[in-house]
Amino acid sequence: MRTIKELKEWLDAGNKIMWNDPEPIIGNDYTIVDIDLEDIESNFEMITITYNQGHTEAQAYLHEIHKLK
């Protein structure tokens, strides 16, 4: 994603997103099941995400979030 606005529009349309973890763990499901858009750090565009079927939480950069078709 390039902007928070793009991310919000994609989610509002009912679409799914995934995290492109720079240090992936084999077996994790990186489909994001929850995202805290209120937790955006303006300097780094970090957001809190929940993935791995709701079992794992992480901080991710906006550019690491990708659209799923």
Side-chain angles (χ1 to χ4, degrees), residues 1-64:
M1 294 288 168
R2 294 182 188 180
T3 66
I4 294 301
K5 181 181 177 189
E6 178 186 5
L7 175 60
K8 287 180 181 179
E9 289 173 354
W10 185 257
L11 293 173
D12 287 346
N15 296 302
K16 294 184 179 187
I17 53 176
M18 70 169 291
W19 178 33
N20 185 18
D21 187 351
E23 297 178 8
I25 298 171
I26 294 173
N28 275 355
D29 177 2
Y30 287 99
T31 303
I32 296 172
V33 296
D34 189 36
I35 189 164
D36 185 357
L37 295 177
E38 302 293 322
D39 191 35
I40 299 166
E41 298 178 22
S42 60
N43 290 340
F44 301 104
E45 295 186 329
M46 296 285 290
I47 49 180
T48 301
I49 61 169
T50 304
Y51 66 99
N52 202 22
Q53 300 172 356
H55 299 288
T56 311
E57 187 175 277
Q59 291 281 313
Y61 288 101
L62 184 59
H63 70 269
E64 295 173 343

